[in-house]
Amino acid sequence: NIVGFSIWLWKDSQQLNTQQYLMDGRLGLQTVYFSSSSIGQAWGKMYVDGSPVSVAWSSLPNSQWAHVHIESLVAFTDDINIMSK
């Protein structure tokens, strides 16, 4: 079962103005996704470089490496697409 997701991330400040996915695991639980336009309701906590932040795309820093950890409210089983939706 999966209850969290961690990744080292560089989000370019010049990213395209199209929908971008950090991750998508909706085959196992319909609310497990995180994108620039919407975020599934399964996510309860998010940390950037060890500090708690709002579970929001805007909480991801631009143009720097950051360690991102997101925790789910419920355990789920699925294949997770990472930055590949």
Side-chain angles (χ1 to χ4, degrees):
N1 289 337
I2 301 167
V3 294
F5 170 77
S6 293
I7 189 170
W8 280 97
L9 176 73
W10 177 282
K11 188 178 87 171
D12 195 326
S13 62
Q14 302 299 316
Q15 72 183 21
L16 301 173
N17 290 327
T18 59
Q19 185 172 8
Q20 306 291 315
Y21 274 83
L22 179 61
M23 66 81 62
D24 190 352
R26 286 184 277 188
L27 293 178
L29 186 62
Q30 289 297 311
T31 57
V32 179
Y33 60 94
F34 193 104
S35 79
S36 58
S37 64
S38 62
I39 297 171
Q41 297 174 356
W43 302 116
K45 295 180 184 178
M46 186 164 112
Y47 301 87
V48 173
D49 294 329
S51 298
V53 296
S54 298
V55 181
W57 187 263
S58 60
S59 295
L60 300 172
N62 288 324
S63 301
Q64 69 182 50
W65 283 106
H67 181 257
V68 178
H69 178 77
I70 307 170
E71 294 180 5
S72 178
L73 295 170
V74 295
F76 64 98
T77 303
D78 197 2
D79 296 329
I80 297 176
N81 293 310
I82 301 170
M83 300 188 316
S84 64
K85 173 76 175 154

